[in-house]
Amino acid sequence: MLLKKYFAISVAHNGQHAAASGRRIPSRYQSIAVIVAAFALSRMLTAAAGVHFIIDILHVSHFADPVLLRDHLLQTLLYLHTQPPFLNMVIGIVLKIFPDSYGTVFHLIWMAMGLFFSIVLHELMVGMGVSRWIALLLTVVFVISPAMILYENYFFYDHFLLVGATVAAWLLYRYLSAKKIYLLVLFFSVISAIVLTRSLFHIAWMASVIIMLLVLCRDDWRRILLAAIIPFMLALSVYVKNQVVFGSFSSSTWLGMSLARISTQQLDSNERQRMARCGEISRISLIPAFSEYDYYRNIIGKSPAAGIPVLDQVAKSSGNEPVLNFNNIDFIDISRQYERDAKHVIATHPGVIVKSVSLASFYYSYPASTLYYMVDSNRVNIVRYERLFDIFVYGQFYDYQHASLKSSGPDQYGVPKIFKVSLFLLIGSPLLIFYGFRLFRRGLRLGSEGRPCTITLGFILGTILWIMAIGILLEVGENYRFRYTTEPWIFLLLGLFLSNRPWKRNAGRKGGVRDDS
């Protein structure tokens, strides 16, 4: 049958079916040994090919001045308004303890996280009902994927969020299976850290997770509230702090500049200039969002010094060349003006949203390694491997370097745009998500037997839809990085589909032996 009651009995059933069919399945420890070996071998081979750890905390606009993080950590975190503070806090702590070897420390941490993630992904798949053979194969494929290798070797929050999201799902499943309160506390602590790392994961997402658990686990409501209260309040405190200090109930004041990229900047240049001349939008919107401070100076002037370095700096003090400090206090007003202009453009030119969503959807369906310029120095060392992986795993049959996303028709080479994206991600992901919701709906009817898998699947599907919606509606360009966080769960859904083998549901009607495993 297509949707059977595998949630509660899947692991045992997989083993029984394998035994009945004469197949030998690997043990848990054998599977983990294979995964560790694949991880180690792939990292050694790519290192030999020239892949190295990239860390440049000075030039990344999401990070405050390293000198301020090292010498004035608490003050800098308090007045940080462009980003949630968690990763900046980690940078500051490591800089204090390892001022000369922080790069090596972060490399070791990122590698250890990658290895831990690899084991957790396999354990989550098997626990959720994926056949151990299929779980092993899919885990190894993801572990050796170019995207994971490249992001693991770049110090930014993408790798941290990939690991955190999968570990959170695994902790939730473990708690629902074992009912150990410490697992629930760890689960909420991890999702709080995620909220405190990237503004994409809004406090509303964390609140919705808590509400979902309260609804689906009514008998556990006291435990849920007890475990969630401190992590939730920690995440909420950043929003409250920004509201009190900066008048913005958010974890990032970049919303206006992000909105400009999906609205005002999608207008024809002549139309944008006409609207500015007529006073419909400000002159700021003639400037691309996230531009250098000097472009805005003649329009907004400069605010009086606040006496807080992270707010007063135009350029970060570290390094031999000026690096723009986006946490300068003036960028709050700049972003707000972008936001006002963007809302006006959306109201008067709704077609720009259709254009942006269409473009963002295609970016969302690109393999995460192909377009991100920050990993290019490593990517060139494995580009042939990446092309083979993209063709055979993702179904991206056209080299992106010759692809143009600016129009929906064929490019100058006569290649339709749909062949430039990953067909697996563009077509397969929505089908697998739909399949996952069918499993979730059936799982709700199983009662307590299927609760761990059902509720964990609900968390996974809800988070996938959250990132998909927010990531497509509020960004044009780096949407593939948003999707990358949830990509292991797409592999998980594929594993559930393959383990369930719905295409054999009618085998009995064709004279064969019916196989519902």
Side-chain angles (χ1 to χ4, degrees):
M1 63 184 67
L2 177 61
L3 294 172
K4 59 185 180 177
K5 296 182 178 181
Y6 71 87
F7 281 113
I9 63 173
S10 55
V11 176
H13 185 80
N14 283 331
Q16 292 167 2
H17 182 267
S21 62
R23 297 201 310 267
R24 181 177 180 273
I25 62 173
S27 70
R28 176 188 182 191
Y29 296 107
Q30 287 172 330
S31 297
I32 292 175
V34 171
I35 292 167
V36 172
F39 181 91
L41 181 61
S42 61
R43 272 46 179 185
M44 287 189 291
L45 290 175
T46 52
V51 174
H52 60 284
F53 190 66
I54 303 170
I55 181 168
D56 186 0
I57 55 179
L58 173 62
H59 290 85
V60 176
S61 58
H62 302 68
F63 303 148
D65 189 332
V67 171
L68 298 181
L69 290 174
R70 185 193 63 202
D71 298 338
H72 306 283
L73 179 59
L74 294 180
Q75 182 194 68
T76 302
L77 294 178
L78 176 62
Y79 290 100
L80 190 70
H81 60 79
T82 59
Q83 291 294 305
F86 185 78
L87 197 51
N88 276 274
M89 179 189 70
V90 172
I91 292 172
I93 292 172
V94 172
L95 286 175
K96 285 178 178 293
I97 302 174
F98 305 99
D100 299 320
S101 57
Y102 64 89
T104 301
V105 172
F106 279 124
H107 188 191
L108 293 174
I109 293 173
W110 255 228
M111 289 284 286
M113 287 169 53
L115 179 59
F116 182 60
F117 159 86
S118 305
I119 297 170
V120 165
L121 177 59
H122 174 266
E123 294 295 286
L124 177 63
M125 284 190 180
V126 173
M128 292 284 288
V130 179
S131 160
R132 192 174 289 278
W133 275 116
I134 294 174
L136 177 58
L137 174 62
L138 292 178
T139 300
V140 169
V141 169
F142 192 89
V143 166
I144 66 173
S145 67
M148 181 168 176
I149 291 170
L150 293 175
Y151 282 70
E152 185 184 276
N153 280 282
Y154 176 56
F155 181 73
F156 201 39
Y157 49 50
D158 297 295
H159 183 63
F160 177 84
L161 293 173
L162 174 84
V163 176
T166 300
V167 169
W170 175 67
L171 287 169
L172 178 60
Y173 171 79
R174 288 285 311 279
Y175 166 72
L176 294 167
S177 301
K179 294 297 183 180
K180 302 291 186 180
I181 186 66
Y182 77 90
L183 293 169
L184 191 60
V185 173
L186 287 175
F187 166 72
F188 284 120
S189 298
V190 170
I191 65 172
S192 178
I194 290 173
V195 171
L196 291 170
T197 299
R198 190 168 193 176
S199 59
L200 173 67
F201 292 91
H202 197 272
I203 191 68
W205 168 72
M206 186 174 183
S208 66
V209 171
I210 296 172
I211 292 171
M212 182 200 76
L213 293 180
L214 290 172
V215 171
L216 297 180
C217 304
R218 294 183 181 89
D219 52 333
D220 274 355
W221 69 270
R222 287 185 179 86
R223 278 188 164 197
I224 293 169
L225 290 179
L226 180 63
I229 185 65
I230 294 178
F232 181 77
M233 294 305 293
L234 283 174
L236 182 63
S237 66
V238 173
Y239 288 75
V240 174
K241 180 266 295 183
N242 284 346
Q243 175 63 45
V244 172
V245 178
F246 303 111
S248 175
F249 187 77
S250 66
S251 61
S252 170
T253 55
W254 281 358
L255 176 62
M257 292 190 282
S258 296
L259 287 176
R261 295 176 64 173
I262 66 164
S263 57
T264 313
Q265 292 178 195
Q266 297 299 319
L267 289 173
D268 177 77
S269 176
N270 292 331
E271 174 63 9
R272 192 162 62 246
Q273 291 178 11
R274 183 198 67 79
M275 294 180 72
R277 285 195 303 269
C278 295
E280 294 184 58
I281 59 176
S282 70
R283 287 190 295 150
I284 279 181
S285 287
L286 298 178
I287 304 170
F290 299 98
S291 290
E292 291 290 330
Y293 182 81
D294 287 343
Y295 288 100
Y296 304 105
R297 189 188 299 271
N298 293 333
I299 300 176
I300 63 166
K302 192 177 189 314
S303 299
I308 309 295
V310 75
L311 297 178
D312 293 337
Q313 284 182 339
V314 172
K316 300 177 185 179
S317 62
S318 309
N320 298 321
E321 59 183 63
V323 178
L324 180 62
N325 171 35
F326 277 103
N327 203 76
N328 182 282
I329 190 68
D330 289 332
F331 274 101
I332 296 178
D333 289 335
I334 291 169
S335 185
R336 285 172 179 163
Q337 186 58 60
Y338 273 122
E339 182 176 352
R340 288 190 290 269
D341 292 345
K343 289 178 178 178
H344 177 76
V345 169
I346 292 171
T348 57
H349 297 72
V352 298
I353 294 299
V354 177
K355 175 183 176 182
S356 296
V357 168
S358 173
L359 194 56
S361 298
F362 276 88
Y363 277 121
Y364 195 86
S365 301
Y366 260 75
S369 62
T370 56
L371 295 179
Y372 193 32
Y373 68 96
M374 296 300 293
V375 299
D376 275 352
S377 61
N378 275 330
R379 181 182 170 274
V380 295
N381 297 307
I382 57 170
V383 66
R384 292 183 180 178
Y385 170 62
E386 182 199 41
R387 282 302 301 140
L388 290 173
F389 194 95
D390 289 349
I391 291 170
F392 291 105
V393 177
Y394 288 122
Q396 185 197 36
F397 300 105
Y398 186 66
D399 191 344
Y400 90 99
Q401 294 184 68
H402 299 119
S404 170
L405 288 177
K406 303 217 182 265
S407 65
S408 58
D411 65 4
Q412 65 268 35
Y413 299 94
V415 179
K417 187 168 71 170
I418 191 171
F419 293 111
K420 302 167 189 173
V421 301
S422 163
L423 296 181
F424 168 66
L425 295 172
L426 181 67
I427 300 172
S429 291
L431 292 176
L432 288 171
I433 292 169
F434 175 75
Y435 176 73
F437 273 104
R438 294 192 67 182
L439 293 181
F440 176 70
R441 182 180 177 185
R442 176 60 62 90
L444 291 175
R445 302 172 184 170
L446 296 181
S448 59
E449 262 192 321
R451 176 179 289 184
C453 292
T454 302
I455 297 176
T456 304
L457 188 58
F459 166 73
I460 287 172
L461 293 170
T463 303
I464 289 175
L465 291 186
W466 174 275
I467 293 178
M468 184 181 295
I470 302 300
I472 290 176
L473 290 175
L474 294 182
E475 168 67 20
V476 175
E478 296 186 358
N479 310 87
Y480 50 87
R481 289 178 50 227
F482 299 162
R483 189 215 67 251
Y484 175 67
T485 302
T486 63
E487 196 168 311
W489 295 339
I490 299 299
F491 276 65
L492 166 63
L493 293 172
L494 177 61
L496 291 174
F497 177 80
L498 294 175
S499 298
N500 203 25
R501 291 181 292 177
W503 56 84
K504 291 193 175 184
R505 62 186 181 278
N506 294 321
R509 299 178 186 175
K510 299 178 181 179
V513 178
R514 182 178 177 84
D515 184 359
D516 285 338
S517 63

